[in-house]
Amino acid sequence: MIDLAADEAFRAQESRMRLRHRRQLLWALVGVCVVASGLIWALWVVPVSQSVAAARPTPLGQTMELPAEGVTGVWASGTAALLGLVECRAETADGSSLRTWSAPSPGWEDTLWWMTPRTGFSPARSIADAGGAAASVTCSSQLDAYDGQFLLAGDVTAAGGGVGLGRMGNIDYPTGTLLALGAVGLPLFAFLMTIVLLVQGLRTRLSGR
């Protein structure tokens, strides 16, 4: 009977140790989520939002000068943008074309639309870095019957890159999508997990009395 009681006590203590280690790991995960979401907001969300607020809208069909360096995001509004009819042509002063690509979906427009300071504008295209050369972009509607405006601001696609995920890492997910989901999902996960861990800790203390 003594050995049985000692064995049960040992198992109970071992179970408490496993639960304590599990909670410590979950608290560490919460910390990682908080740090990661803070970096995403500080280095991506806020700068992009501020750049949109500072940009000057121009009617579709006109030409604008591109910034000297960095990937540029094209944000559009109006019926043409709503219908996905905005197309852009970018080229340097010597006539060389710059690569353009569309914003990923899901992305900023699906998760962070409320951080866009200009009502009605959404990411439409991204334009590759001109490498310091003078360059310009012309955005227009594919159908002349629809008009709208566009502006040049921060890029939401993270230069159009992707992150290899999946079992073999052979499935590329757009970086812009991962950032947009992380900006919203990581803080929410950290908040909910904190509540769960606090409730579990309270129940453990009450049951130990």
Side-chain angles (χ1 to χ4, degrees):
M1 292 294 294
I2 297 178
D3 290 342
L4 181 60
D7 185 60
E8 290 180 351
F10 175 77
R11 290 184 178 181
Q13 183 179 3
E14 188 178 35
S15 177
R16 287 194 296 270
M17 289 291 293
R18 285 199 300 266
L19 290 175
R20 186 180 301 112
H21 290 160
R22 185 181 303 171
R23 284 197 295 270
Q24 290 174 348
L25 288 176
L26 290 176
W27 276 118
L29 180 59
V30 168
V32 170
C33 290
V34 170
V35 172
S37 61
L39 290 174
I40 292 174
W41 276 83
L43 301 178
W44 187 66
V45 177
V46 174
V48 168
S49 180
Q50 291 176 342
S51 69
V52 174
R56 177 177 58 88
T58 300
L60 289 175
Q62 296 190 14
T63 300
M64 295 184 67
E65 297 297 320
L66 283 173
E69 296 181 354
V71 177
T72 304
V74 177
W75 297 64
S77 69
T79 306
L82 184 63
L83 298 177
L85 299 175
V86 176
E87 58 182 3
C88 298
R89 184 182 71 257
E91 58 184 18
T92 59
D94 60 6
S96 300
S97 298
L98 297 176
R99 184 172 70 93
T100 66
W101 59 91
S102 60
S105 181
W108 180 287
E109 181 61 14
D110 302 289
T111 60
L112 293 163
W113 75 94
W114 44 277
M115 281 298 296
T116 304
R118 292 186 181 273
T119 303
F121 280 87
S122 60
R125 306 287 297 179
S126 293
I127 304 172
D129 186 358
S136 61
V137 57
T138 303
C139 291
S140 58
S141 173
Q142 297 177 17
L143 297 177
D144 295 335
Y146 302 108
D147 58 3
Q149 293 180 310
F150 75 100
L151 55 82
L152 302 181
D155 168 50
V156 300
T157 69
V163 177
L165 299 175
R167 180 177 299 178
M168 303 298 293
N170 57 350
I171 302 177
D172 283 339
Y173 290 86
T175 306
T177 294
L178 297 179
L179 289 174
L181 296 177
V184 176
L186 290 178
L188 180 61
F189 174 82
F191 174 74
L192 295 177
M193 185 56 64
T194 297
I195 293 177
V196 171
L197 290 173
L198 290 176
V199 171
Q200 285 185 347
L202 180 61
R203 291 180 59 184
T204 301
R205 292 191 186 94
L206 293 176
S207 63
R209 292 180 179 179

